Amino acid sequence: MPNLKFFSGENIPLEMHKVRMVQKINLQPVEKRLESMRAAGFNTFLLKNQDIFLDMLTDSGVNAMSEKQYAAMLEADDSYAGSETYYRLENVLTDIFGMKHFLPAHQGRACEHIISQILVKPQTFALMNYHFTTTKAHITRMGGAIEELISDEGFKIQSTNLFKGNMDIDKLNAAIKQHGKEKICFVRIEAGTNLIGGQPVSMKNLREVSKICRAEGIKLVYDASLLTDNLYFIKIREPEYKNTEVKEIVREIGSLVDIIYFSARKLGAARGGGILTSDNEIFHKMRELIPLFEGFLTYGGMSVREMEAMAVGLQESMDFDVISQTPIFVEALCNELLAKNIPVVTPPGGLGCHVDAKQFCSHLPQAQYPSGALASAMFIAGGIRGMERGTLSEQRNADGTERFADMELLRLAFPKRVFTLSQVKYIADRIIWLYQNRSLIGGLKFVEEPKVLRFFFGRLEPIGNWPEQLVKKFREDFGDSL
């Protein structure tokens, strides 16, 4: 993004695109929003899109595509095997990342499945800066365990540390010494660590981790799903990369790791995923599983139209003006809330604005799922669907007891190039109102709890009648307004 100053002195995020297609959205009355929330079992994943005003659940698969991506979809080659679409995508990916081999998969968690099948053995450990829900589930399903080695700064809500996603090097060395390198199935670095507020990993940290892994003969896996936000932060927060082209930074990342995988629902603004490696042995082992679990090697369970869109989207992701859009709008919302003393994760990261539910709802114990309660209250207050990133997103311990999350966050994701500045102002307004009335928010309890990934389709109910009290207060303050 160019260095642009406004005469007014305001720091205003500037859209580096123009709108050429629109989709109508509806803002339902607050009573209808409560009705919809109740029907969804107080789980924002189970809300129907027709009832949502602003969907901030995720950036996965809901990013706005460019006109060039839509045009490319018309050129798709539908061949089952040997599709030209595949080879176009392969050429783009191997050129950007500088790796030899590409395997297609239908999305990021499919990549995690393939990688875990090949690398994870029972009683082995995957060391990582921080886990993601599906990553952990695939590793534990194969009999492995995860160990999180995030720096201590990563757990601080308010911080001045610019790379809170960094892996702690001392912790990494200690874990390898404790378990022995033969018991480490792989080390994983997640760009833009999702569950701690979209916090980036520095290139310096990645170089240090890579050096250790190569000295010990341990495979280094890089989750690039949130790569674009992380690239933005590397360019603006690491002085040595200020004048480095985005593609050169990506090439350096590719040179430091053994396997890269990604969800194109995030990276590339299309639907799909893929695995990249230059390791011939690992490539051939994984290749055997693609036709078994995903589809033939030249489509991997993806629509070829999406593959064409992905190829263009990945090329566009090498443009700094494109990758700047999410972080600057996240920062704008965070700054609006910080001005009202509302607790959010700082410094603002990528992916979305992360509200600290533990502080916001300090009157609620973690056993009553404050992040989930705040997500429900946010929808009732404004028709805004966010995602719980806290204890609800954890798995129970083996003995059935609750595993309390390190952080209780409400994630308000920013799909790329979707929301306008006026909508950001509306979001801030409703959060500010909710914060002023936060004592009304009560807890939740499960009435239907799946054993795995319960946050996707579990159902809850409120403890007491706090949702009705919230609606009553809304009407007192806003009258007939929506």
Side-chain angles (χ1 to χ4, degrees):
M1 183 177 176
N3 183 17
L4 184 148
K5 292 185 178 179
F6 286 86
F7 181 69
S8 65
E10 291 184 82
N11 184 15
I12 303 172
L14 185 65
E15 293 92 342
M16 298 300 291
H17 54 268
K18 62 182 180 181
V19 177
R20 297 182 65 190
M21 182 184 294
V22 297
Q23 177 183 2
K24 188 178 185 299
I25 53 178
N26 301 299
L27 180 56
Q28 305 278 13
V30 65
E31 292 82 5
K32 178 66 169 67
R33 299 197 292 264
L34 172 55
E35 183 182 316
S36 298
M37 194 75 261
R38 195 176 296 282
F42 288 83
N43 181 345
T44 57
F45 270 97
L46 301 182
L47 287 165
K48 295 180 179 178
N49 187 55
Q50 65 184 13
D51 298 323
I52 297 164
F53 180 50
L54 298 176
D55 194 354
M56 306 184 80
L57 183 79
T58 182
D59 66 333
S60 182
V62 291
N63 298 300
M65 293 202 303
S66 71
E67 81 279 21
K68 291 181 180 179
Q69 286 182 282
Y70 281 110
M73 293 172 81
L74 298 176
E75 298 180 345
D77 176 2
D78 265 330
S79 302
Y80 181 88
S83 167
E84 286 301 313
T85 290
Y86 168 81
Y87 294 112
R88 280 193 284 269
L89 176 58
E90 180 186 48
N91 287 338
V92 167
L93 279 162
T94 54
D95 176 60
I96 288 174
F97 288 99
M99 303 185 97
K100 286 174 26 180
H101 305 298
F102 164 61
L103 292 169
H106 77 271
Q107 64 184 93
R109 70 197 56 175
C111 301
E112 292 171 338
H113 172 231
I114 298 296
I115 293 168
S116 296
Q117 286 276 335
I118 296 301
L119 296 183
V120 180
K121 302 291 186 291
Q123 285 80 54
T124 60
F125 295 87
L127 310 180
M128 54 189 69
N129 53 344
Y130 205 72
H131 81 280
F132 185 65
T133 49
T134 55
T135 320
K136 181 177 179 179
H138 280 298
I139 291 167
T140 56
R141 182 175 174 271
M142 294 300 297
I146 68 159
E147 194 163 319
E148 295 163 334
L149 308 176
I150 194 81
S151 65
D152 292 342
E153 283 288 322
F155 295 122
K156 294 180 181 178
I157 297 295
Q158 276 84 38
S159 173
T160 57
N161 188 298
L162 299 179
F163 290 99
K164 288 164 64 176
N166 281 355
M167 180 175 282
D168 188 300
I169 298 301
D170 290 337
K171 292 180 183 177
L172 174 60
N173 283 321
I176 295 171
K177 182 178 180 181
Q178 177 188 351
H179 301 299
K181 61 184 180 182
E182 68 282 352
K183 297 291 286 185
I184 309 299
C185 52
F186 59 83
V187 172
R188 171 183 173 271
I189 291 288
E190 180 185 333
T193 36
N194 193 317
L195 296 184
I196 63 164
Q199 296 296 307
V201 178
S202 71
M203 187 67 84
K204 178 178 183 293
N205 185 248
L206 182 60
R207 286 198 299 265
E208 291 172 338
V209 173
S210 177
K211 183 178 180 180
I212 292 168
C213 288
R214 289 186 171 168
E216 298 287 350
I218 298 170
K219 299 301 181 187
L220 178 55
V221 177
Y222 189 85
D223 180 349
S225 301
L226 294 174
L227 176 64
T228 55
D229 293 344
N230 210 118
L231 291 171
Y232 170 81
F233 290 121
I234 287 172
K235 270 193 69 70
I236 67 166
R237 295 180 182 176
E238 283 192 90
E240 65 182 286
Y241 291 97
K242 180 181 179 181
N243 298 315
T244 306
E245 292 294 326
V246 174
K247 188 173 176 181
E248 288 182 48
I249 299 174
V250 179
R251 277 292 187 102
E252 183 173 349
I253 291 170
S255 73
L256 293 172
V257 303
D258 298 295
I259 298 172
I260 290 175
Y261 75 93
F262 63 94
S263 168
R265 297 174 71 90
K266 296 179 182 292
L267 177 64
R271 290 174 175 83
I275 305 171
L276 291 134
T277 186
S278 292
D279 187 309
N280 291 326
E281 182 181 357
I282 287 178
F283 168 72
H284 285 103
K285 287 181 178 179
M286 292 191 296
R287 187 176 65 173
E288 295 177 5
L289 299 182
I290 297 296
L292 184 61
F293 293 111
E294 296 299 305
F296 192 66
L297 292 170
T298 51
Y299 76 92
M302 286 187 280
S303 157
V304 287
R305 289 161 183 79
E306 294 285 355
M307 293 168 72
E308 291 283 5
M310 188 197 307
V312 174
L314 286 161
Q315 291 170 314
E316 292 176 342
S317 295
M318 298 300 101
D319 183 337
F320 186 69
D321 282 349
V322 172
I323 67 174
S324 70
Q325 294 296 280
T326 296
I328 63 174
F329 274 84
V330 169
E331 184 177 11
L333 178 55
C334 287
N335 287 341
E336 291 262 356
L337 301 182
L338 288 167
K340 298 295 183 179
N341 297 314
I342 296 173
V344 298
V345 172
T346 61
L351 179 58
C353 173
H354 293 76
V355 182
D356 179 14
K358 195 179 287 188
Q359 256 188 278
F360 198 111
C361 300
S362 59
H363 56 288
L364 296 179
Q366 278 191 276
Q368 293 184 13
Y369 310 120
S371 299
L374 182 55
S376 297
M378 188 75 251
F379 179 76
I380 295 168
I384 302 159
R385 174 163 71 164
M387 185 191 291
E388 188 276 352
R389 297 278 72 168
T391 298
L392 265 178
S393 294
E394 294 289 344
Q395 295 178 190
R396 286 187 180 269
N397 296 316
D399 62 1
T401 58
E402 195 71 79
R403 184 195 185 282
F404 294 116
D406 296 309
M407 305 173 85
E408 290 285 345
L409 304 176
L410 166 62
R411 187 182 80 187
L412 298 171
F414 274 77
K416 294 175 178 61
R417 299 177 291 191
V418 170
F419 296 128
T420 64
L421 186 57
S422 68
Q423 290 169 333
V424 173
K425 295 284 188 181
Y426 169 82
I427 296 159
D429 179 81
R430 289 303 185 262
I431 298 173
I432 292 166
W433 177 83
L434 197 57
Y435 187 65
Q436 292 173 351
N437 295 280
R438 60 192 181 279
S439 62
L440 295 175
I441 303 172
L444 299 173
K445 61 181 180 181
F446 270 106
V447 293
E448 182 181 323
E449 183 180 356
K451 290 184 178 180
V452 179
L453 299 177
R454 61 184 183 175
F455 66 94
F456 275 140
F457 44 92
R459 303 182 73 85
L460 304 100
E461 66 180 14
I463 298 171
N465 68 339
W466 65 263
E468 288 78 11
Q469 295 301 313
L470 198 64
V471 169
K472 180 181 177 182
K473 179 61 175 170
F474 184 94
R475 280 290 170 232
E476 289 174 1
D477 290 351
F478 291 99
D480 293 336
S481 171
L482 297 176

